[in-house]
Amino acid sequence: MASSVSSQQDKVLVEANSSARIITLNRPKQLNAQSFQMIYRLLELFLVYEEDPIVKLVILKGKGRAFSVGGDVAALVRDMRADDWRVGANFFSQVFKLIYLIATYSKPQTFAMPEVDLGLFPDVAASYFLSRLPGFFGEYVGLTGSRLDGAEMLACGLATHFVPSAKLPMLEAALCNADSSDPVIISSIIDQYSEKPSLKEQSVYNRRLDVIDGCFSQRTVEEIISALEREDVHHMDSWISATIQKLKKSSPTSLKIFLRSIREGRLQGVGQCLVREYRMVSHVLKGELSKDFFEGCRAILLDKDKNPNWEPSKLEMIDEGRVECYFSKVKHEEWEDLKLPIRVKFELPPYVIAKL
């Protein structure tokens, strides 16, 4: 048991540097995918540091070439017994509690940061922060799983600063030496090492926002695809064609429930979004409405044949009644809605640093 605890602690490294605490995710070969034990440890550390008057700043980073790919979904699927979806629900409840803690944290934090492919949906409050991107860019990012570079993250508002990788060690040292929780001071320090990168000529955010807004503002996924197909006829744009194909290859169920989710997220706070998303993910894990999550994990993460068989297989086979079920309470005697603590809403959002 002691060896197991030590092993898990090795995956979340902690360094005390003056009044700052540096937390490093340490699973570089797995791109810092986070296990249940790692999530629990992060929750523990953030709660302790918030109450510690000595700690004025928390820096969260990842070792290796990635900050984190998120939760260790492949391990979760392997660990879940056929009938015990609650193992997964318990994992996500801890993840969502951590996200809520970070979103309402009382001290400055800095951290450098494609579910529809897996039969899941963008969660961890994605319906909150993606819905607040300009126009309907959040719908585009969430439905297509498109990857954004640092310049695009800064431009659309997903990142607050852009710092070249070579400058990150100097920035970290400056933040640790600041001995301050003042967000004005923290932001000014990050500004000293930040740059304003130019968007690439072929960047989606640079060239195609009008198409994205026109198409992804449509009421349904079917209407979004139809609008893209009309654009494709007129412009013969390879990006539009690729976007259509991407949507048609993704889980139809995931697309429909995410579109409903982000539209509701526009009118909800972060806590409300997490409570709703927990209902959704619990239904996904329970697998009674669709087993797309397990099929997606099989095809992409386990067998890696990249050929999932979605069920239902077509958008038109999924009516509003089926979608509505994902937003209802789970009917199980041992399941309950996500319980989030009552917290004062601090105006100290994390500084999200994009890098090269």
Side-chain angles (χ1 to χ4, degrees):
M1 178 67 72
S3 175
S4 175
V5 172
S6 175
S7 174
Q8 291 302 327
Q9 288 180 340
D10 289 344
K11 295 174 182 176
V12 179
L13 305 178
V14 179
E15 179 185 351
N17 194 326
S18 184
S19 61
R21 295 296 179 268
I22 304 169
I23 304 173
T24 304
L25 305 178
N26 187 33
R27 293 185 76 194
K29 291 184 179 179
Q30 294 81 21
L31 300 181
N32 296 317
Q34 298 165 46
S35 65
F36 177 85
Q37 291 85 354
M38 291 172 70
I39 294 294
Y40 189 84
R41 177 65 171 154
L42 289 171
L43 260 172
E44 179 184 54
L45 290 171
F46 270 95
L47 286 169
V48 168
Y49 294 156
E50 188 168 44
E51 298 300 322
D52 188 341
I54 295 176
V55 178
K56 297 181 179 178
L57 173 72
V58 178
I59 298 175
L60 179 62
K61 63 182 184 178
K63 188 173 183 179
R65 63 189 180 92
F67 168 61
S68 174
V69 293
D72 193 344
V73 175
L76 177 65
V77 171
R78 285 193 295 266
D79 291 344
M80 286 174 62
R81 298 182 180 89
D83 296 327
D84 200 358
W85 57 273
R86 292 166 299 172
V87 172
N90 187 35
F91 172 80
F92 278 100
S93 73
Q94 298 304 308
V95 172
F96 286 10
K97 288 175 183 177
L98 175 62
I99 295 300
Y100 185 65
L101 176 61
I102 290 174
T104 59
Y105 211 58
S106 61
K107 296 180 180 180
Q109 318 142 61
T110 67
F111 65 97
M113 225 180 109
E115 288 83 355
V116 290
D117 289 343
L118 297 178
L120 192 56
F121 60 92
D123 56 352
V124 296
S127 61
Y128 176 81
F129 60 80
L130 289 182
S131 68
R132 282 151 177 82
L133 299 188
F136 292 85
F137 196 65
E139 275 86 342
Y140 164 72
V141 172
L143 289 170
T144 65
S146 295
R147 297 184 178 185
L148 307 179
D149 62 24
E152 289 170 327
M153 288 181 64
L154 187 67
C156 75
L158 279 175
T160 57
H161 298 77
F162 179 95
V163 179
S165 298
K167 291 184 178 181
L168 286 177
M170 293 182 287
L171 169 59
E172 185 176 303
L175 288 170
C176 291
N177 292 332
D179 191 29
S180 175
S181 288
D182 187 335
V184 175
I185 293 175
I186 299 300
S187 185
S188 67
I189 292 173
I190 301 176
D191 285 340
Q192 294 175 30
Y193 296 88
S194 299
E195 296 182 2
K196 293 285 180 70
S198 299
L199 291 165
K200 295 176 182 176
E201 184 180 351
Q202 296 300 318
S203 168
V204 170
Y205 198 80
N206 195 30
R207 298 181 58 197
R208 299 183 172 89
L209 283 183
D210 56 337
V211 175
I212 288 174
D213 283 348
C215 296
F216 285 84
S217 60
Q218 300 299 314
R219 187 178 62 86
T220 66
V221 179
E222 293 93 327
E223 290 170 355
I224 288 173
I225 293 175
S226 294
L228 286 166
E229 289 174 336
R230 289 193 296 272
E231 288 287 341
D232 196 30
V233 169
H234 290 121
H235 300 290
M236 297 297 290
D237 189 318
S238 61
W239 167 78
I240 297 177
S241 300
T243 300
I244 294 169
Q245 292 307 308
K246 181 69 174 61
L247 290 169
K248 289 185 175 181
K249 287 181 62 177
S250 296
S251 161
T253 297
S254 295
L255 294 176
K256 286 212 166 186
I257 64 176
F258 172 70
L259 185 60
R260 160 85 178 264
S261 180
I262 192 173
R263 296 283 163 83
E264 290 196 4
R266 290 178 183 271
L267 304 175
Q268 295 177 330
V270 64
Q272 292 172 295
C273 287
L274 287 168
V275 169
R276 173 175 41 70
E277 289 177 9
Y278 182 63
R279 286 187 179 187
M280 296 167 65
V281 80
S282 294
H283 280 293
V284 168
L285 295 170
K286 196 176 182 185
E288 290 184 350
L289 298 170
S290 171
K291 298 189 184 301
D292 278 3
F293 172 59
F294 302 97
E295 173 61 11
C297 288
R298 179 205 64 75
I300 306 300
L301 301 178
L302 302 178
D303 296 346
K304 299 182 180 180
D305 58 44
K306 298 183 179 180
N307 187 31
N309 295 308
W310 306 125
E311 184 61 39
S313 60
K314 298 182 183 299
L315 288 165
E316 55 267 29
M317 297 170 68
I318 306 168
D319 59 27
E320 287 302 313
R322 180 185 286 264
V323 173
E324 178 66 33
C325 288
Y326 282 90
F327 294 78
S328 64
K329 288 187 176 182
V330 175
K331 295 180 180 179
H332 191 282
E333 60 183 10
E334 296 183 21
W335 183 93
E336 59 181 21
D337 270 327
L338 183 68
K339 297 290 193 299
L340 296 173
I342 298 174
R343 292 173 57 82
V344 176
K345 174 60 179 174
F346 293 94
E347 295 301 324
L348 291 176
Y351 298 97
V352 184
I353 303 172
K355 64 177 184 176
L356 288 175

